[in-house]
Amino acid sequence: MNARVPGSAADYLGAFRRISGILPGQHLDWLRQARAEAIGRFSQQGFPTLHDEDWKYTSVASIEKGRFNILPTASDNLLAPQVALHALPDSHLLVFVNGRLDPGLSRPGRLPPGTVLSSLAYQLEQDQDWPEDTLVTYPPASPFADLNLAFMADGAYVRLPPEAALAAPIQLLFITSEANLAVQPRNLLVAGAGSSASIVEQHVALGESSYFTNTVTDILVGSGATLEHHKVQQESPAAFHIATVNVSQAAKSRFTSTSFALGARLARTGIAVKFQAEDAHCTLDGLYLSDGRQHVDHHTWIDHQKPRCTSRELYKGILNGASRAVFNGRVVVHPDAQGSDAQQTNHNLLLSENAEIDTKPQLEIWADDVKCSHGATVGQLDEDQVYYLRARGIGEASARVILTRAFAKEIIDRVGPLSLQERLDQLLQHKLPRQ
Amino acid sequence: MLDIRNLHVSVDGKPILKGLDLSVKAGEVHAIMGPNGSGKSTLAHVLAGREGYVVSSGEILYQGSNLLELNVEERAQQGILLAFQYPVEIPGVANVYFLKAALNALRRHRGLPELDAIDFLALIRNKLKQMEMDESLLYRPVNQGFSGGEKKRNEILQMVLLEPTLALLDESDSGLDIDALKVVAAGINGLRSPQRAIVLVTHYQRLLDYVVPDKVHVLADGRIARSGGRELAIELERTGYGTPADHPGRQAATP
């Protein structure tokens, strides 16, 4: 036991004691207990430090020093046009403002019968028989997940009934408008057997203020279901963004994740996929663009617990300025997970001498009949390609922009919903140097 | 149009061209032949402006001006276009996007309005037909997954699209079967014009059966060893480049 109670952690404990009574779902014994345990662990452990193996390259000291408000202070004057800026034209849209669902701005649209697209807070308040294991599926992987469990106030609850097939994407748009706020959304996405859908989880800001997003998304992919989860992080340049995505896959399910890290001063996304049954497949792709003094971290963990599951992973990064990126790809193949097939690739483009990447594959293989490969590259643009374009009259700066876009495009082209592809393409054009 | 005088070029400190002279007039087709390692490709890339080639002495005049003052894209914009021996693959960039970007870069330079997607497509479809290329090649990444023949055709496609003043073709015939060779040759012949010069760099004289040159030069050890008319190419095909000792049995084996 650690006797030290870090200052900031003690603040969170104090805040929890003050406000826990008004958090949703406190009438549920198991949840009340889980929240109390979570804040207990957190107040003892505090924030992770560089001495924690999992946080070796990412310091969260600035979050610890941040002293963020737990509750939003006032209602906001958010305008619908600002939502329209981010809403995909064809999506089933839920808008969360400062962590709470805003029904007026949301536009769920028509959904197949039995499909639930709702607020988690609402569901917790309504549903007396909430099954515990759908919300606390994983042992919280980090102090941030504990913090989220303690304080979670709202988020999206999506449930697809068996065999439901959604043509249009579900879009969960999180908008933060208040400075110095700790926003802790909790999403639960449950895909019934044989269902299929794409879910976009997008984090944006109004303005450029500093705040702290600490989000957890739990995803359960039923047997034979196909689920895509696209996370688009466009937080304010002064914001902190910590995300935990926990995925649990049933037999023959297919799960695709793409993580686009475009904003925030410090961003860390942890994605853990657990194959709980045979013959499942997951694809984890990601693209991070960083500039200035941004720090962007991806930690992925694919847990091959059962036989004959396959995983494919491709992360790409474009680093400029004095930015820093971290990619840690952990793949664990358990002793009885024979026939596992895992491939992991991480490519990084360093556009500046001052940018830095720490990339680390972490393969732990305890079965013998497996195929596992990994590869990482760190480099600049291919000068032969630059020359070829220039030899056709295309100026050098344009040639470099074309090639940098092409590097990123590979990930964007893997996104299912075309409306999201187009949006990402536009975002990319704004983020990269102009021609 | 092109005057090269006493050109000395080294790569990584190693001299490759050692006093090369060459003069090409508008309307002419020149063939530069020579054994591997004689400096043919170096000459092509020096003209295109590739970095890493050090010109230690000599000069290159293009349309009366010092070519060495121009960078790669400026040379292309002024009408010098090199068809690569090994066209570069560019994953993630659709061929059609690349071709349109190149054409519009040249049009911008010439003060012409850029073509929009519709006008460009109409234009490029015609050129594709001329090169007997499938339209699907437009939508694949530049050169990626192209066969050897498709890559070479794609280079000539760029020539017929971009209409250079000085066309440089580096081994555009290598690796082609006879049908593809005829298409490539027809593409090159279509470029012949009184305002344009064409320089073919080739190891074999095979292409010259279809694209008949006005002048043939033999490049050996970094300089032009011999120059002549078309008959020189035919002679070289018979005798080879080196001394008989370098190619034992070669003369005997050739009827």
Side-chain angles (χ1 to χ4, degrees), chain A residues 332-391:
Chain A
V332 181
V333 180
H334 290 258
D336 55 353
Q338 301 295 352
S340 293
D341 181 344
Q343 283 177 21
Q344 179 187 97
T345 311
N346 174 227
H347 293 306
N348 296 282
L349 202 50
L350 264 57
L351 300 181
S352 144
E353 284 181 5
N354 298 320
E356 198 181 319
I357 169 80
D358 292 292
T359 175
K360 186 176 150 204
Q362 197 183 338
L363 270 54
E364 297 161 32
I365 299 165
W366 306 103
D368 41 17
D369 177 23
V370 296
K371 276 194 277 185
C372 287
S373 69
H374 66 88
T377 62
V378 178
Q380 285 81 40
L381 290 172
D382 181 334
E383 290 303 321
D384 284 343
Q385 295 176 349
V386 176
Y387 170 53
Y388 190 65
L389 294 176
R390 293 177 71 195

Side-chain angles (χ1 to χ4, degrees), chain A residues 382-385 387-398 402-403 405-407 409-410 413 435, chain B residues 45 48 50-51 71-73 76-77 81-82 84 88-93 97-98 102 105 143 155 158:
Chain A
D382 181 334
E383 290 303 321
D384 284 343
Q385 295 176 349
Y387 170 53
Y388 190 65
L389 294 176
R390 293 177 71 195
R392 299 300 178 250
I394 297 168
E396 180 171 1
S398 300
I402 288 171
L403 294 173
R405 277 193 62 195
F407 179 85
K409 196 86 169 57
E410 184 181 5
D413 287 347
Q435 287 192 34
Chain B
H45 285 292
R50 179 171 213 157
E51 281 153 17
N71 68 25
V72 183
E73 56 266 37
Q77 287 160 5
L81 202 65
L82 168 65
F84 281 46
V88 179
E89 298 184 1
I90 310 185
V93 177
Y97 177 85
F98 161 67
N143 293 318
E155 292 295 290
Q158 292 166 50

Side-chain angles (χ1 to χ4, degrees), chain A residues 54-330:
Chain A
D54 239 21
W55 295 85
K56 203 169 158 183
Y57 300 105
T58 299
S59 166
V60 296
S62 42
I63 297 178
E64 182 167 1
K65 290 191 205 103
R67 298 292 198 273
F68 297 98
N69 301 321
I70 296 296
L71 297 174
T73 49
S75 63
D76 42 79
N77 47 0
L78 196 68
L79 297 170
Q82 290 162 311
V83 172
L85 194 68
H86 296 289
L88 296 172
D90 57 344
S91 67
H92 304 285
L93 177 69
L94 289 189
V95 178
F96 296 84
V97 178
N98 296 326
R100 269 74 171 175
L101 181 76
D102 188 319
L105 294 170
S106 299
R107 193 193 57 204
R110 282 176 60 89
L111 291 157
T115 304
V116 179
L117 176 56
S118 176
S119 141
L120 187 73
Y122 176 81
Q123 289 294 320
L124 285 172
E125 291 299 317
Q126 296 301 309
D127 204 338
Q128 298 300 316
D129 303 319
W130 191 285
E132 180 174 350
D133 62 351
T134 53
L135 202 56
V136 195
T137 51
Y138 247 68
S142 79
F144 289 101
D146 272 333
L147 199 58
N148 177 285
L149 179 56
F151 287 102
M152 60 172 190
D154 202 358
Y157 175 62
V158 178
R159 182 179 286 277
L160 304 168
E163 307 303 328
L166 266 68
I170 289 172
Q171 184 179 15
L172 313 174
L173 180 61
F174 293 88
I175 304 178
T176 302
S177 65
E178 189 177 312
N180 301 316
L181 185 66
V183 186
Q184 309 208 51
R186 181 83 174 203
N187 302 310
L188 176 59
L189 317 176
V190 184
S195 63
S196 66
S198 288
I199 301 176
V200 180
E201 178 187 335
Q202 188 175 8
H203 297 266
V204 304
L206 289 187
E208 308 207 327
S209 58
S210 174
Y211 55 85
F212 168 36
T213 299
N214 177 34
T215 178
V216 173
T217 300
D218 284 317
I219 301 175
L220 308 178
V221 192
S223 60
T226 301
L227 191 71
E228 293 182 17
H229 178 248
H230 305 293
K231 181 168 174 285
V232 184
Q233 184 268 104
Q234 300 165 255
E235 303 275 23
S236 128
F240 302 94
H241 178 94
I242 305 285
T244 305
V245 180
N246 293 325
V247 185
S248 173
Q249 290 192 242
K252 295 181 181 166
S253 62
R254 299 182 67 83
F255 173 71
T256 299
S257 152
T258 49
S259 174
F260 293 90
L262 308 174
R265 167 175 158 194
L266 187 161
R268 152 95 168 209
T269 296
I271 301 175
V273 176
K274 186 157 65 171
F275 290 124
Q276 291 194 313
E278 295 78 4
D279 302 304
H281 173 82
C282 80
T283 300
L284 305 188
D285 295 330
L287 176 67
Y288 41 96
L289 305 184
S290 61
D291 202 347
R293 302 196 56 82
Q294 278 181 296
H295 182 109
V296 51
D297 178 338
H298 279 95
H299 266 62
T300 65
W301 173 21
I302 303 173
D303 206 21
H304 285 262
Q305 296 187 341
K306 298 286 175 180
R308 299 184 308 277
C309 291
T310 54
S311 60
R312 295 289 178 271
E313 189 167 15
L314 175 61
Y315 268 76
K316 285 185 154 190
I318 300 172
L319 285 71
N320 213 337
S323 65
R324 191 164 173 190
V326 178
F327 175 79
N328 188 102
R330 185 174 177 205

